[in-house]
Amino acid sequence: MGLRKDFLWGGATAANQCEGGYKEGGRGLANVDVAPHGKDRFPVLAGKMKMFECDDEHYYPAHEAIDMYHNYKEDIKLFAEMGFKCYRLSIAWTRIFPTGEETTPNEEGLKFYEDLFNECLKYGIEPLVTICHFDVPMHLVEKYGAWRDRKLVDLYVKYCEAIFNRYKDKVKYWLTFNEINMILHLPFIGAGLYIEEGENEEQIKYQAAHHQLVASALVTELAREINPDFKIGCMLAAGNTYANTCHPEDVFKSMEKDRENYFFIDIQSRGEYPAYAIKELERKGINIVMEEDDKKILKENTVDFISFSYYSSRLTSADPEVNAQTEGNVFATLRNPHLKASEWGWQIDPLGLRITMNSLYDRYQKPLFIVENGLGAVDTPDENGNVYDDYRIDYLREHIKTMIDAVELDGVDLLGYTSWGCIDLVSASTGEMKKRYGFIYVDKDNDGSGTLKRSKRKF
Ligand code: BGP
């Protein structure tokens, strides 16, 4: 009983939100670099506002982020002091292939991550690598329209081949795409998609999703050839959708909402387009162009484990007028009167984690991995610079309790838990620094000011 002996406790980050050094080491420009802070961020992330290069009027938080590029040794040392067994990070595609189209990888980029992995391994920390955490080379966005073009499949496979070969003795756990369902909600950040006026957005998103799903399956196959010990996971932005009332129509709607997200994992884990999706795509007139072998590729290369982020449950109604309140949220949700919400309106539901874990385990019967969970909150250091974040500690404690219940009382097989933003970093949705998640505080503000000094929060 209890958690696995080799349970992977740790923290998670993503390159674009912590590394900085956006022009260093031969790195190329990526979609994440042109996402500004401020009111234009959301339309850019949603693929509704075209920003293909940086201008002088905006501040772009990914450029420096928390400068982990130069500080990773100090940061990993702090992780080790906390007893981390695992560190989830992502590789920036444009450090390895600056435009995405080079024939050989950029040695400086490869070397950077090699050193970083060595640093982890020195402390017995297992790296868990997200291959693509919201980044696409800008060159590929401009030339091909990013993932809408099948060409991206080959380029992604080439990128994976380079990193699998180079790190085959250092990294065992890989995630092919972070929050693969994000493509439906924020297509520019999820897949580099900018939607031109008059284009059929749904058609483009599902075609691009198909390309990512095929790419994910192809590299799963490749990974097993390169090192049969590799473990490959998919990654879902999870959180079950509750029905607003017990009216069967509300219940049906909540099932449909969950299926929008399960769609991706159904394919990555079960290997085929689910029946409900085939029907729904047909009804919407969406025609996914497939190559002859695609179905076979998807079927034969399913993932080893299911990873997911969990911040909150969601709530929906069958009544469009009731649901209208939810417009503008990344994951549309009604206010649940039984839950409190964070300062950013994310509803806090620890039992929802156990519910989500059970749903995923019942559905896929594969080991799970919680690779993101945490509370984004404003912290105010006291006069000595110390942060006492009992609210965050409570959040984590309550979620970890229900996580253990899911394992001990429900029998869910769980590989590990990495809390999101273990060191303060740039918020993906808002571009802010003040939406903090960390165990380690970083002195940096929304406008980019600050010393970048790291300090420990309350333990
Ligand atoms: C997930 C992303 C992360 C992370 C997290 C918290 O969607 O995978 O990159 O940022 O959410 O969200 P935010 O940074 O918007 O608070």
Side-chain angles (χ1 to χ4, degrees):
M1 281 301 267
L3 300 177
R4 287 163 167 256
K5 283 210 170 49
D6 55 355
F7 190 79
L8 292 168
W9 284 105
T13 63
N16 78 85
Q17 291 167 257
C18 65
E19 268 179 19
Y22 86 117
K23 279 186 174 165
E24 292 184 60
R27 183 184 178 283
L29 197 73
N31 58 338
V32 287
D33 302 322
V34 298
H37 173 243
K39 67 171 179 32
D40 290 338
R41 186 175 183 86
F42 198 79
V44 170
L45 299 185
K48 304 240 179 294
M49 178 176 170
K50 192 170 191 170
M51 184 158 308
F52 282 8
E53 51 193 36
C54 303
D55 61 30
D56 295 337
E57 286 140 50
H58 292 87
Y59 166 63
Y60 299 90
H63 293 188
E64 182 191 54
I66 58 158
D67 195 21
M68 216 186 206
Y69 188 68
H70 295 108
N71 288 285
Y72 70 88
K73 288 193 178 160
E74 183 196 344
D75 296 340
I76 292 170
K77 184 162 179 279
L78 288 167
F79 298 161
E81 278 176 32
M82 285 189 282
F84 276 22
K85 297 276 170 278
C86 178
Y87 171 40
R88 173 182 175 227
L89 68 144
S90 76
I91 293 181
W93 188 344
T94 55
R95 283 202 191 285
I96 311 301
F97 288 97
T99 67
E101 291 207 286
E102 292 79 2
T103 45
T104 50
N106 171 30
E107 176 54 30
E108 231 181 313
L110 286 172
K111 177 81 170 53
F112 170 70
Y113 292 107
E114 180 162 44
D115 293 347
L116 196 155
F117 295 142
N118 284 339
E119 205 61 24
C120 291
L121 298 171
K122 183 171 111 185
Y123 296 108
I125 296 175
E126 178 91 46
L128 162 61
V129 172
T130 317
I131 297 167
C132 189
H133 193 126
F134 295 155
D135 56 344
V136 186
M138 268 319 283
H139 171 78
L140 303 183
V141 173
E142 301 203 55
K143 184 164 172 190
Y144 300 109
W147 280 97
R148 68 173 73 200
D149 195 310
R150 178 94 190 189
K151 179 80 182 164
L152 271 274
V153 175
D154 299 340
L155 297 173
Y156 176 85
V157 171
K158 180 182 64 172
Y159 160 49
C160 289
E161 191 174 7
I163 57 176
F164 288 163
N165 276 321
R166 181 67 168 244
Y167 309 128
K168 62 175 181 293
D169 301 322
K170 300 188 189 296
V171 177
K172 178 175 170 190
Y173 294 94
W174 302 88
L175 308 179
T176 52
F177 289 94
N178 180 62
E179 298 192 335
I180 191 161
N181 47 329
M182 192 57 85
I183 192 172
L184 298 181
H185 308 276
L186 297 175
F188 186 69
I189 207 71
L193 301 176
Y194 168 69
I195 316 292
E196 303 275 354
E197 191 110 6
E199 281 188 320
N200 181 342
E201 179 168 345
E202 294 275 287
Q203 169 71 40
I204 291 167
K205 289 197 290 201
Y206 277 99
Q207 184 66 55
H210 179 73
H211 293 150
Q212 290 192 336
L213 290 162
V214 170
S216 177
L218 281 171
V219 302
T220 302
E221 181 176 35
L222 177 71
R224 290 180 180 138
E225 279 162 27
I226 292 177
N227 184 347
D229 292 335
F230 278 171
K231 296 284 175 216
I232 311 296
C234 53
M235 199 304 199
L236 174 74
N240 277 37
T241 311
Y242 304 156
N244 195 33
T245 72
C246 52
H247 194 297
E249 285 186 10
D250 282 345
V251 176
F252 194 81
K253 187 73 188 175
S254 70
M255 181 187 76
E256 286 186 316
K257 279 279 157 205
D258 277 342
R259 281 175 164 178
E260 277 175 23
N261 298 312
Y262 287 145
F263 163 75
F264 298 87
I265 310 304
D266 285 353
I267 296 171
Q268 288 179 295
S269 181
R270 305 199 296 212
E272 55 196 39
Y273 273 65
Y276 64 83
I278 294 172
K279 291 288 180 196
E280 178 70 3
L281 292 168
E282 246 172 50
R283 268 193 298 275
K284 287 183 165 168
I286 295 172
N287 174 32
I288 297 179
V289 179
M290 296 196 194
E291 289 191 0
E292 211 187 312
D293 280 349
D294 285 2
K295 286 191 179 151
K296 186 165 174 276
I297 292 166
L298 295 174
K299 191 69 196 168
E300 289 177 356
N301 302 291
T302 56
V303 291
D304 297 308
F305 66 97
I306 315 291
S307 84
F308 63 97
S309 59
Y310 175 84
Y311 294 93
S312 184
S313 54
R314 298 154 190 160
L315 182 67
T316 197
S317 161
D319 180 343
E321 274 181 37
V322 176
N323 259 2
Q325 309 163 30
T326 68
E327 272 163 26
N329 294 338
V330 175
F331 284 95
T333 180
L334 295 168
R335 279 305 307 271
N336 184 331
H338 304 289
L339 302 177
K340 293 202 181 101
S342 78
E343 287 149 294
W344 277 265
W346 293 22
Q347 306 187 64
I348 301 172
D349 182 9
L351 186 56
L353 174 59
R354 181 170 168 192
I355 295 168
T356 299
M357 289 173 71
N358 275 283
S359 301
L360 291 172
Y361 195 60
D362 286 352
R363 197 171 179 104
Y364 301 116
Q365 301 280 305
K366 288 187 183 178
L368 305 183
F369 203 139
I370 301 170
V371 296
E372 286 186 32
N373 173 238
L375 177 71
V378 178
D379 295 323
T380 318
D382 68 10
E383 63 280 9
N384 302 315
N386 295 321
V387 176
Y388 296 96
D389 58 341
D390 294 279
Y391 37 91
R392 187 174 291 108
I393 294 170
D394 288 347
Y395 177 102
L396 293 170
R397 185 191 297 112
E398 294 310 309
H399 283 76
I400 287 170
K401 267 194 209 156
T402 71
M403 170 190 97
I404 293 174
D405 284 347
V407 173
E408 290 193 340
L409 305 178
D410 307 326
V412 170
D413 185 7
L414 184 67
L415 297 172
Y417 172 96
T418 56
S419 75
W420 175 252
C422 47
I423 180 166
D424 292 348
L425 37 59
V426 175
S427 156
S429 57
T430 70
E432 292 169 296
M433 271 305 300
K434 74 169 186 189
K435 191 179 184 192
R436 297 173 186 275
Y437 288 86
F439 301 127
I440 300 164
Y441 184 87
V442 179
D443 177 27
K444 182 159 181 181
D445 296 325
N446 281 356
D447 61 5
S449 60
T451 61
L452 293 174
K453 183 174 170 291
R454 278 68 166 144
S455 47
K456 297 175 191 174
R457 282 189 173 81
K458 183 176 171 181
F459 277 73

